[in-house]
Amino acid sequence: MPELTLEQIKALPKGAGHLFAKTRRFPPEDPRSTFDAWQVGVYSDDPETYSVHAVVQEPGYYSGITFEIKAGTANGTYPLGPSGIAVRYYVDAGEGIEFYYAIRGEIKLTTNFATATFEASEFRFVAESEGLGKQVEVFLGNFKISAFG
């Protein structure tokens, strides 16, 4: 999965839809533990892979999730992480951006490549920061995201 800078992430094409999830990156009482994004999109810089992404941006806080879905992926349940669909979770809470990569998880996915629309009725994963060994959990996730508004 290509490493994008925060500026590149913010400049990604906008689409239509919504992504919701909870994260254990922050304590449950912290509002940032709920990831509720209407800023979503789908892009493809390679015809074999679609990047489905969502971001939340507030003063002093920025977070996002990106799924890398291979072209032609059929509807079904898939593992998330190195043996399945790659996922990156990133967060900047004012102390620098942290990148986490899914190491295990699962997604129930519906795809429509003709309209570039992707829907997850459920997803959850554990992600690890590269080189630091710090882990976070993202759970109770769902989304419906289309490249077209």
Side-chain angles (χ1 to χ4, degrees), residues 51-110:
S51 295
V52 178
H53 65 92
V55 297
V56 172
Q57 185 172 5
E58 299 172 4
Y61 174 72
Y62 187 85
S63 185
I65 298 174
T66 301
F67 295 83
E68 298 291 332
I69 301 171
K70 297 289 183 197
T73 299
N75 299 342
T77 301
Y78 294 92
L80 294 173
S83 63
I85 295 172
V87 182
R88 180 175 55 235
Y89 168 70
Y90 43 93
V91 60
D92 186 345
E95 300 170 4
I97 194 161
E98 303 168 17
F99 284 97
Y100 297 88
Y101 299 89
I103 56 173
R104 66 181 177 276
E106 187 173 83
I107 188 170
K108 292 180 183 173
L109 184 65
T110 302

Side-chain angles (χ1 to χ4, degrees), residues 22-23 26-34:
K22 299 291 280 181
T23 176
F26 300 98
E29 65 277 1
D30 188 321
R32 297 173 297 180
S33 69
T34 298

Side-chain angles (χ1 to χ4, degrees), residues 118-136:
F118 302 87
E119 184 172 356
S121 59
E122 179 183 349
F123 70 84
R124 65 184 176 284
F125 61 88
V126 173
E128 187 171 79
S129 61
E130 193 170 86
L132 301 176
K134 184 176 175 183
Q135 293 186 351
V136 297

